[in-house]
Amino acid sequence: MNILTFVLVLLVAIVLALAGFTGVASWLIERRNPPVGSFIDISGASIHYVHVPAPAKADLPPLVFIHGASANLKDQMLPLRPLFEGRAEMLFFDRPGHGWSGRGPGNNETQEGQAATISALMDRLGIKDAIIVGHSFGGSIAATFALEQPDKTRGLLFLSAATHPWPGGDTSWYYSLSARPVIGRLFAAMVANPAGLMRIGAATTCVFSPNEVPDGYVDEASIELVLRPRAFRSNAIDVEGLYRHALKTAPRYPEIKVPTVVISGDADTVVYEEIHSIGLARDIPGAELVWVSNLGHKPDWVAPDLVRAAVEKLAGQPRDLQAMARAVEARIAGDAYGTDVCVNEKAAT
């Protein structure tokens, strides 16, 4: 066997080993994280969702929750569902291509396509309109939904949103690589899973930093689901296209006329809060910015009481969100988790 043949055989063996590892690991991930809701076909995409019907005496309008990148419906359902149980109809769902939802043959790679999927899902479940709650990347879809479906938007709540163009428009290299047609599929099928499993703890620390990651978060919120090849690539395509979407859509935000609250921490290591959140408060008429010192990227988990109050205010109930923000600041003032390793981790989303 000459050296060239040996190298080729070695490369094939490595490829097969990585692909085999990813296949087994993905199977185990799915076994550990089965679906928790129902499935419905929306324009050829199988959408996984949890619908909490309206209680007999609801004091809040329906709520629709849109999760961010690398996540699934459990990321918002776990901390927020208990706060609104018995008070509001709720819809949690895996965005197309995420969690247990399929991508489908339509244009679910765009915010407009995903907003249309949400609208159709609401129609199928009999939800006429709702307060839309979008976290991180989900914020860009929430804003798009409000522009495309104003009659179905009762109010908007943005949590650490990613909605505006940022300098350079760069994203993490593995998103850009994975979004490519051929090499992206190969990367997702062979490298993303083993590399992601090794990095998931550190990455989660930086998502929450400077606040503490809740015990059991990765397992309970089924975060590993994003490490399956199709989900990883769907996530990468979403994120890689965010800058282009923001360029064309951000100038339209002044068209949004519904009550809006923007919650953001000043210590976010994931998105540029000084661009996105301040931009939303500037561009959407009447929007209230709730700025929280030493809060990272996860107000839904770190400050769920503030999220609850924001929803109540959007529903017309008197709430002093600025005073509540000061109370949250006092509670988390000493948080410094991951600050030694995450200070330079900020990217587009």
Side-chain angles (χ1 to χ4, degrees), residues 224-295:
E224 287 182 344
L225 285 172
V226 75
L227 297 179
R228 298 166 301 160
R230 288 184 181 179
F232 190 89
R233 191 157 184 274
S234 293
N235 188 55
I237 291 171
D238 283 355
V239 173
E240 197 274 334
L242 176 59
Y243 180 76
R244 294 187 298 275
H245 175 79
L247 280 174
K248 69 176 183 179
T249 307
R252 295 186 58 200
Y253 293 160
E255 299 174 22
I256 297 174
K257 305 302 181 185
V258 298
T260 300
V261 172
V262 182
I263 297 178
S264 181
D266 72 347
D268 197 322
T269 64
V270 179
V271 302
Y272 293 104
E273 68 275 17
E274 66 277 12
I275 294 175
H276 304 296
S277 293
I278 291 179
L280 284 168
R282 177 194 64 231
D283 295 341
I284 298 178
E288 179 177 0
L289 176 62
V290 184
W291 193 256
V292 186
S293 296
N294 210 44
L295 176 65

Side-chain angles (χ1 to χ4, degrees), residues 46 59 84 131 139 158 166 176 181 189 202 238 250 253 258 307-308 324:
S46 178
D59 70 320
F84 301 108
I131 292 174
F158 294 98
W166 59 94
S176 300
D238 283 355
Y253 293 160
V258 298
V307 174
R308 176 176 56 194
M324 292 199 66

Side-chain angles (χ1 to χ4, degrees), residues 116-136:
T117 294
I118 297 168
S119 177
L121 182 57
M122 290 172 65
D123 288 343
R124 299 281 284 273
L125 297 173
I127 302 174
K128 182 181 178 181
D129 58 21
I131 292 174
I132 311 298
V133 183
H135 172 249
S136 192

Side-chain angles (χ1 to χ4, degrees), residues 32-333:
R32 291 193 297 266
N33 302 281
V36 295
S38 303
F39 289 88
I40 191 169
D41 183 273
I42 302 292
S43 301
S46 178
I47 301 299
H48 177 231
Y49 69 96
V50 171
H51 178 222
V52 181
K57 295 183 178 180
D59 70 320
L60 295 171
L63 307 175
V64 174
F65 297 88
I66 309 176
H67 67 78
S70 305
N72 60 81
L73 66 83
K74 293 174 74 176
D75 194 34
Q76 288 176 303
M77 187 173 72
L78 290 176
L80 299 181
R81 177 175 176 172
L83 301 184
F84 301 108
E85 199 88 50
R87 301 186 63 192
E89 182 176 10
M90 290 179 276
L91 174 60
F92 302 89
F93 68 101
D94 290 336
R95 291 195 291 107
H98 297 256
W100 283 95
S101 287
R103 195 71 150 179
N107 69 331
N108 280 325
E109 293 182 354
T110 69
Q111 279 83 341
E112 291 85 358
Q114 294 190 31
T117 294
I118 297 168
S119 177
L121 182 57
M122 290 172 65
D123 288 343
R124 299 281 284 273
L125 297 173
I127 302 174
K128 182 181 178 181
D129 58 21
I131 292 174
I132 311 298
V133 183
H135 172 249
S136 192
F137 185 94
S140 71
I141 299 173
T144 302
F145 184 90
L147 291 168
E148 300 290 325
Q149 306 287 342
D151 292 340
K152 293 183 178 179
T153 309
R154 183 84 66 94
L156 289 170
L157 175 54
F158 294 98
L159 307 175
S160 302
T163 51
H164 284 66
W166 59 94
D170 293 332
T171 59
S172 298
W173 65 269
Y174 47 84
Y175 287 141
S176 300
L177 181 64
S178 299
R180 296 179 181 177
V182 177
I183 194 171
R185 286 187 172 88
L186 292 174
F187 182 84
M190 293 185 296
V191 180
N193 184 278
L197 288 172
M198 289 188 293
R199 283 278 303 158
I200 195 166
T204 302
T205 294
C206 291
V207 168
F208 276 84
S209 181
N211 313 119
E212 185 177 14
V213 179
D215 291 340
Y217 168 77
V218 170
D219 293 334
E220 292 179 12
S222 298
I223 301 302
E224 287 182 344
L225 285 172
V226 75
L227 297 179
R228 298 166 301 160
R230 288 184 181 179
F232 190 89
R233 191 157 184 274
S234 293
N235 188 55
I237 291 171
D238 283 355
V239 173
E240 197 274 334
L242 176 59
Y243 180 76
R244 294 187 298 275
H245 175 79
L247 280 174
K248 69 176 183 179
T249 307
R252 295 186 58 200
Y253 293 160
E255 299 174 22
I256 297 174
K257 305 302 181 185
V258 298
T260 300
V261 172
V262 182
I263 297 178
S264 181
D266 72 347
D268 197 322
T269 64
V270 179
V271 302
Y272 293 104
E273 68 275 17
E274 66 277 12
I275 294 175
H276 304 296
S277 293
I278 291 179
L280 284 168
R282 177 194 64 231
D283 295 341
I284 298 178
E288 179 177 0
L289 176 62
V290 184
W291 193 256
V292 186
S293 296
N294 210 44
L295 176 65
H297 191 60
K298 295 295 289 175
D300 43 358
W301 283 82
V302 178
D305 50 340
L306 183 57
V307 174
R308 176 176 56 194
V311 168
E312 292 168 344
K313 184 165 188 178
L314 289 170
Q317 300 177 15
R319 296 291 182 272
D320 188 342
L321 300 184
Q322 303 304 325
M324 292 199 66
R326 305 294 80 78
V328 172
E329 288 176 346
R331 187 173 73 237
I332 63 175

